[in-house]
Amino acid sequence: MVELVNRPYAKAFETFATARPEVLCLSADLTSSCEVDGFRDRHPDQFLSLGMAEQNMLSFAGGLAMQGFRPFLHTFSVFLYRRAYDQLINSIAYSNRKVRLMGFLPGITTPGGITHQAIEDISVMRAIPNMTILETGDATEVETVLEVADAIDGPVYVRVLRGEVPRLFSTPFEFNKLRTLSEGDDVLVVTSGVCTEEALRAAEPLKARNVGVHHLHVSTLKPFDRDGLIKAARGKKGIVTLENHTIVGGLGSLVAEILAEEGLGVRLKRLGLQDTFAHGASKPYLMKKYGLDASALTNAIGQLLGRDLDIADAEFETARLDAVHSAQKAEAL
Amino acid sequence: MSIPNCQTTEDVAAGIRRRVFLHSMRNNGGYLSQACSAAESLALLYNEVLKLGEPTLPKVPLPFAGVPSAHNPDAFTGAGYHGPFAPEYDRFIISPAHYALVIYSALIQMGRMDEHALDHFNRDGGSVEMIGAEHSPGMEVTTGSLAQGLSMGSGIAWARKRKGEPGKVWVYMSDGEFQEGQTWETLAAMSYHNIDNIRVIVDVNRQQCDGAMSSVLDLGDLPARVAAFGATTCSINGHDLEAMRDAANSAEPGKPLVILANTSPFQGMPYLQKRFPRLHYVRFKSKAEREEMQTAIAADLGVDLAEI
Ligand SMILES: Cc1ncc(C[n+]2csc(CCOP(=O)(O)OP(=O)(O)O)c2C)c(N)n1
Ligand SMILES: [Mg+2]
C-alpha cells in the first residue's frame, strides 16, 4: 500500500518561504483550498490577500517582481490563466519576470465542472515564450518543487497536488529530467501528474503478461528532456502518453512533435481528454469515463501490440479513493 | 404563473433553509450559510417577482446529456426549470454557481422540481452538479467562474430591448463578485447603454471563501460605489420582504436596477455564528461536532431530528 501524505504543500511552502524573505505568498480568496491558510496565520508579513480578482493579482505580481520580490501566486489552476491571460502575457511573461503560478486542482481532479477544470492549461502555457511548466505527480515532488521553481530565471507555472497525496518517489524533483520508473523493451509509456499513479496500477498485470514497459514520468513539461525521450522511444513497438489534460497541445502533442522531428516513426497513442470539455463529477468517475485510467492505458498498449491483454479491472491495484466530505475535502472548492 | 401555489414567501424561505439544512446534514457538509443569507431574496423572486412559465424539463432531473457541440443534439441547459423562452417571460441568471444547492432547494420548494431531486445532487453522471453547470437545474448560462453572469445578463437584456420583448432579465449575484473587475465593467456598460430592463439582486453577506470580506479585500461603501456607476441602487435588509418588494419595484427608466440585499450568513440558524468567519462551506471534523450542530440547527428551524 502506497504511503499517503496529508497536505504536503502546506508544510513545504512554510519551510521554503520562511527561509526566504523575498518570497511573498499571494492569494485570491482560496487560501485554505490552496493549503496556505496556516502560512497566512503564522506569517502575515509575507502574505498578501488580493481577494477574488485574479487579473489584478497577476499584474500586481509583475510589479512585485520588478521590485525584487518573488511572488508565489495561489489559486486554482484555471483562475491563473483563463481570465488573466492577457495579464500573464504582458505583465509577466514578456518581461520574463520571476513570478510563480501555483495552480491547484489541475485537470479533472476537481468536481467543479468545466469552470474549475483546467484541461487546456499546459497547451496554453506551452505556447507562451519564456514560460516554464512543471507538474507534480506525488508528495515528494510537491515537497521539492518549490526550490526548483524558485531557481528558474523567468515565470513558472506549477500544477500542484493537494490534500492526501501518494508518495511514489523517494528522490526529489529534478528539473527537466524524465524519471524512469521501469525499463522494458516493448512499449514506452509516458505519463504526468495523477496519471502516473494510474499507470503504476497497471504495472503488475502488464508484467504478468510479459509486456515489457518502459515507463517515464514527466514533471517538467517545458522545457522538455528531449534526449531522454528519444533514447527511450527508439526501437519500441509503440508509445502511449497519458495525461490529465486534453490531448491537444499537452504531453501527447509534445511527444508527437519530438517523434516527428526525429523521424522515429514509432506509433503513438495519446490518452487524455479527446478534444472535449468534461463535466462535474468525482475524479475516479471522470478518469474512467474519459479514458485517463489504468484500463484505458492497457487497452491502448494492447492495440499497439496487436494483442488482447484481457485484464479485468480487479487486477489493477486498488484505486485510492479520496473520501468525499472528509477532512481531506475531496469535494472542497 | 400557472403553477398552483398558495405558499407565502415566508414559507418558501423557511422551506429553502430546511431543505439545504437536511441535505447538508445527510451529506456531511454543504453550502449552508448561503441558504441563511439568500432564502428570503430567492423566495421573493421565485414566489412573487419573477414572471416565469411552466417548466419545460421533467421534474426529476435528467442525467447529464453531454457537452454542447454541433454534434450533440441532446445537450440542454437548466433554463427549462425557469420555463420557456418567450417574449413576455423573464429570464433569471444565477451568477454565483456555488449557490446551486440553495437554488435547487428553491426550485423544489416552488414545485418546479421533484421533491426528491436533491438525491441527484453531486452524483456521478447526473446534471444536478455541486457547482451549478449550464445543464444544472435553474442554471441558464455557465457561471461558475464568478462575475460573468452579469455581463451575460446585460447582453441578453440589451438584445431583448432591441427586439421589443417585455420580459425582464433578473441576475442573482454574490458580493464576492464585486471584487472582480468584470462586474464594474458591466455596470459601466449597462449605464452607458441605458439597459433598464435588467434587475440585479446581490446577496451582500460580507462573506467569501477566506472568511469575512473585511479580512480579505473589503468593498467599503458598496452602495455608494455601485450608485456612482449610474445604477439605481437600493441597499436594504435582505431578510425584510417588504423592503425587498419596494426595492424590486423601484426601477427607473434608462437605468439598471441593483438591489443590494444586506444579509446575515447565519440568519435562521443562529448556531452557525459559532463557525464565523469560516462559513463559505460548512463541514464537520467529527461526529460529535456534527451532532451538536444538527441538534442545535434543527431546533432553530423547528425541524424534527427524525427527518434527518
Ligand atoms: C473567477 C473565480 N475565482 C475564484 C473562484 C473560487 N470561489 C468560489 S466561491 C468564492 C467566494 C466568492 O465570494 P462569495 O460568492 O460572496 O462567497 P460566499 O458569500 O458564498 O461565501 C471563490 C473565491 C471562482 N469560482 N471564480
Ligand atoms: Mg458573499
Side-chain angles (χ1 to χ4, degrees), chain A residues 28-30 51-54 75-76 79 83 115-116 333, chain B residues 31 33-34 37 96 98-99 131 143-148 173-177 179-180 203 205-211 213 279-281:
Chain A
D29 193 28
L30 286 171
M52 187 175 68
E54 296 82 6
T75 183
F76 295 159
F79 301 132
R83 193 181 307 209
T115 56
H116 285 63
L333 301 157
Chain B
Y31 289 94
S33 81
Q34 289 79 359
S37 54
H98 63 286
Y99 277 53
I131 305 295
T143 54
S145 178
L146 293 176
Q148 298 191 19
M173 293 182 70
S174 67
D175 51 357
E177 295 187 283
Q179 288 175 340
E180 291 282 358
D203 182 14
N205 61 3
R206 301 274 171 191
Q207 287 286 311
Q208 56 188 125
C209 284
D210 279 1
M213 285 183 93
L279 289 164
H280 178 74
Y281 187 96

Side-chain angles (χ1 to χ4, degrees), chain A residues 89-146:
Chain A
I89 297 290
N90 296 299
S91 303
I92 297 172
Y94 176 73
S95 317
N96 198 42
R97 301 208 197 285
K98 291 184 187 178
V99 172
R100 285 73 174 92
L101 308 162
M102 310 308 285
F104 290 74
L105 295 181
I108 50 80
T109 60
T110 163
I114 61 135
T115 56
H116 285 63
Q117 291 161 341
I119 58 162
E120 83 295 9
D121 51 339
I122 293 167
S123 178
V124 166
M125 299 279 190
R126 270 189 75 216
I128 304 175
N130 285 338
M131 186 60 70
T132 292
I133 306 173
L134 310 177
E135 178 167 18
T136 58
D138 88 323
T140 302
E141 289 191 341
V142 171
E143 287 161 355
T144 52
V145 72
L146 287 157

Side-chain angles (χ1 to χ4, degrees), chain B residues 10 17 22 33 121 161 180 187 196 198 233 262 279 302:
Chain B
E10 285 83 352
R17 285 201 181 88
L22 288 173
S33 81
F121 183 83
K161 235 186 123 169
E180 291 282 358
L187 287 171
D196 55 4
I198 192 163
T233 310
N262 298 287
L279 289 164

Side-chain angles (χ1 to χ4, degrees), chain A residues 13-14 16-26 39-40 43-48:
Chain A
F13 185 78
E14 187 161 3
F16 164 81
T18 47
R20 296 166 177 80
E22 330 74 50
V23 165
L24 292 173
C25 177
L26 272 57
F39 182 83
R40 170 197 60 199
H43 311 284
D45 289 349
Q46 252 178 296
F47 180 84
L48 256 166

Side-chain angles (χ1 to χ4, degrees), chain A residues 29-32 49-54 79 83 111 115-116 276-282 285 325 329 331-333, chain B residues 27-28 64 67 124-125 129-131 142 144-148 176-177 179-180 182 208-210 216-217 278 281 283:
Chain A
D29 193 28
L30 286 171
T31 306
S32 66
S49 171
L50 289 165
M52 187 175 68
E54 296 82 6
F79 301 132
R83 193 181 307 209
T115 56
H116 285 63
T276 179
F277 289 108
H279 61 115
S282 70
Y285 175 88
H325 294 289
K329 50 177 191 174
E331 86 293 358
L333 301 157
Chain B
N27 293 276
N28 207 23
F64 173 59
V67 293
D124 286 343
E129 293 195 15
M130 178 172 61
I131 305 295
T142 294
S145 178
L146 293 176
Q148 298 191 19
E177 295 187 283
Q179 288 175 340
E180 291 282 358
Q182 184 170 354
Q208 56 188 125
C209 284
D210 279 1
V216 182
L217 194 83
R278 297 304 311 276
Y281 187 96
R283 65 169 57 76

